[in-house]
Amino acid sequence: MKISIRTLFLSRALAGGAMLFTSCDNDDDYKIIPATSVDQAHGNYEGVIMVNNEFQDSVTVSVDSVSNTVSLSNLPVAPIVKALVGEELADSVMKTVEAPALSLSYTGTLYENIVQLQLDAQQVDFNMTVEDAEKQVTVFVNNGGEVLYDSMQKILNMGITVDSVKVDGELAENFKTIQYIFYQTKRK
């Protein structure tokens, strides 16, 4: 049997066309829709957090487009505690700490398929016990934190910086800035 170039071309074109209409099982789970509003960032996200370039636990981030807030139900404070009390006491002190919730107001801007949320400064308090003494810690999250949401990939990245801390009302001396970076994907 002789195969002509025309027959070969047609068979490859048909095979290629059939592949275009073949769908993977999870393709329909996420519709690719370019962002048309800042409100498209609204939702709950799960992922990991890096603190000063070290991976930490997983964390959940929520974006509420009605109240224009980005929230964490539990701000990971272990790096802050460690910076305040030192490595030798950090584990025992962390057993006394209840991680605080953090809610940050934002101003949103839309750039093609990227939603940018510029975060406002905020402070959050938590208590810790150091060598049988109860201490109140006030954490200052500085202005300039940012959230970027890619509507095509359903990915949210957030960066915030803790630039100062007070313990019992006194500014903690020699406290080094702590940078939090969140890598999140949108829940279904």
Side-chain angles (χ1 to χ4, degrees):
M1 179 170 131
K2 185 176 178 184
I3 300 176
S4 69
I5 293 178
R6 181 175 180 221
T7 306
L8 184 62
F9 175 75
L10 284 174
S11 65
R12 289 190 184 222
L14 287 172
M19 291 178 111
L20 288 174
F21 295 103
T22 303
S23 173
C24 294
D25 185 31
N26 65 354
D27 283 354
D28 297 331
D29 292 347
Y30 292 107
K31 302 283 187 234
I32 298 177
I33 302 170
T36 56
S37 167
V38 170
D39 294 344
Q40 283 183 271
H42 182 89
N44 294 315
Y45 300 82
E46 290 181 336
V48 297
I49 180 173
M50 277 183 69
V51 180
N52 290 342
N53 297 321
E54 291 182 21
F55 278 103
Q56 304 290 317
D57 290 332
S58 60
V59 68
T60 301
V61 174
S62 297
V63 177
D64 185 344
S65 62
V66 176
S67 63
N68 289 351
T69 57
V70 175
S71 304
L72 290 116
S73 57
N74 297 308
L75 176 66
V77 294
I80 297 168
V81 170
K82 185 176 174 182
L84 292 173
V85 301
E87 246 179 273
E88 60 281 347
L89 293 176
D91 288 339
S92 64
V93 171
M94 276 306 297
K95 292 175 184 173
T96 70
V97 174
E98 185 176 325
L102 176 64
S103 185
L104 300 161
S105 299
Y106 69 79
T107 304
T109 309
L110 180 64
Y111 300 100
E112 294 183 24
N113 66 318
I114 303 293
V115 174
Q116 178 190 27
L117 308 177
Q118 197 66 39
L119 302 173
D120 294 337
Q122 181 64 290
Q123 72 182 45
V124 63
D125 297 319
F126 68 91
N127 294 319
M128 66 180 183
T129 304
V130 182
E131 297 175 339
D132 297 326
E134 181 81 15
K135 306 281 184 181
Q136 182 180 21
V137 179
T138 303
V139 176
F140 295 92
V141 178
N142 77 3
N143 205 9
E146 181 177 60
V147 173
L148 296 175
Y149 172 66
D150 183 335
S151 67
M152 303 291 270
Q153 303 294 322
K154 308 279 190 219
I155 295 172
L156 179 129
N157 294 324
M158 179 170 85
I160 59 174
T161 302
V162 173
D163 57 359
S164 60
V165 173
K166 286 185 178 180
V167 179
D168 291 337
E170 297 290 323
L171 195 60
E173 294 183 24
N174 301 321
F175 181 82
K176 293 183 181 175
T177 298
I178 296 177
Q179 187 118 39
Y180 289 84
I181 301 174
F182 302 83
Y183 300 100
Q184 308 284 298
T185 54
K186 198 167 196 174
R187 286 189 200 169
K188 291 184 182 182

